[in-house]
């Protein structure tokens, strides 16, 4: 990945212009890179994607630019949702944005959540409900030493694996049972 001003250039395909404002996610952090690489390998033209904890919207925007049919981004912070909406407009992509209190997302084929280990553990039942049977999930924001606890929380609903690491952070992925 390369950063050019406020734009993130993914290795082979797409440019994303971002102004994160108060939201998280510029593409420079290892957890974001892990998720972007996974999305590049996972998104298909018929996919519907949910970015839970969307922050700046970088992962949702990348999913659309990678060809997803439909994308929804959700965050607990209304200011993050506003920043994500502006970033989507700047990148000319149509994405549904909502706060976590809104019930706009049905089960998705692909769910990505780049938050932190403790919230991810608490969110396991919700994220399982938001992932279609047979669908895929990617979780990051997890230090390597926290991975086992997160894996344990998701194993009842998913067949999970440690997919990748980057600078002490891990990407966990799984398929919904």
């Amino acid at each position: 990945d390369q950063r050019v001003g406020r734009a993130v250039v993914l290795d082979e395909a797409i440019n994303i212009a971002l102004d994160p404002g108060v939201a998280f996610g510029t593409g420079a952090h290892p957890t974001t890179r892990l998720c972007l690489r996974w999305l590049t390998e996972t998104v298909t033209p018929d996919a519907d994607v949910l970015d839970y904890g969307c922050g700046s919207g970088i992962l949702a925007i990348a999913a659309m630019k990678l060809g997803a049919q439909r994308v929804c981004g959700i965050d607990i912070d209304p200011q993050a949702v506003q920043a994500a909406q502006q970033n989507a407009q700047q990148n000319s992509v149509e994405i549904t944005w909502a706060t976590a209190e809104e019930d706009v997302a049905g089960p998705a084929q692909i769910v990505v959540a780049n938050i932190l280990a403790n919230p991810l553990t608490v969110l396991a039942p919700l994220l399982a409900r938001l992932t279609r049977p047979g669908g895929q999930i990617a979780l990051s924001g997890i230090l390597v030493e926290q991975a086992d606890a997160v894996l344990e929380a998701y194993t009842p609903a998913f067949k999970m694996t440690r997919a990748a690491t980057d600078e002490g952070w891990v990407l966990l992925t799984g398929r919904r049972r």
Side-chain angles (χ1 to χ4, degrees):
D1 305 342
Q2 302 172 35
R3 281 181 283 143
V4 181
R6 290 188 170 174
V8 175
V9 181
L10 297 177
D11 288 336
E12 290 182 358
I14 60 174
N15 293 326
I16 300 173
L18 284 179
D19 181 356
V22 298
F24 292 99
T26 62
H29 196 271
T31 61
T32 309
R33 289 194 307 259
L34 287 164
C35 291
L36 287 168
R37 287 183 192 119
W38 182 81
L39 285 169
T40 300
E41 297 166 2
T42 306
V43 172
T44 58
D46 61 339
D48 60 295
V49 178
L50 172 62
D51 177 5
Y52 200 93
C54 64
S56 68
I58 186 170
L59 300 178
I61 293 165
M64 280 303 291
K65 288 192 166 218
L66 289 165
Q69 182 178 19
R70 206 170 40 258
V71 177
C72 180
I74 295 176
D75 204 285
I76 61 170
D77 182 354
Q79 290 181 310
V81 172
Q82 184 178 11
Q85 287 172 328
Q86 291 168 349
N87 286 325
Q89 288 172 344
Q90 186 175 356
N91 285 277
S92 303
V93 292
E94 296 274 333
I95 296 171
T96 301
W97 302 102
T99 60
E101 294 81 32
E102 298 174 82
D103 188 18
V104 297
Q109 179 183 356
I110 297 171
V111 174
V112 60
N114 183 19
I115 309 175
L116 289 171
N118 288 337
L120 285 171
T121 301
V122 171
L123 288 168
L126 173 64
L127 294 181
R129 283 193 307 276
L130 292 174
T131 307
R132 283 192 200 141
Q136 297 180 78
I137 194 166
L139 308 169
S140 200
I142 306 161
L143 292 167
V144 170
E145 59 269 17
Q146 299 169 322
D148 287 341
V150 179
L151 281 168
E152 185 177 321
Y154 283 82
T155 297
F158 294 88
K159 182 177 181 192
M160 297 294 296
T161 187
R162 290 175 192 241
T165 59
D166 189 343
E167 296 182 27
W169 297 91
V170 66
L171 176 72
L172 304 178
T173 61
R175 187 165 298 275
R176 180 80 162 90
R177 297 182 196 278

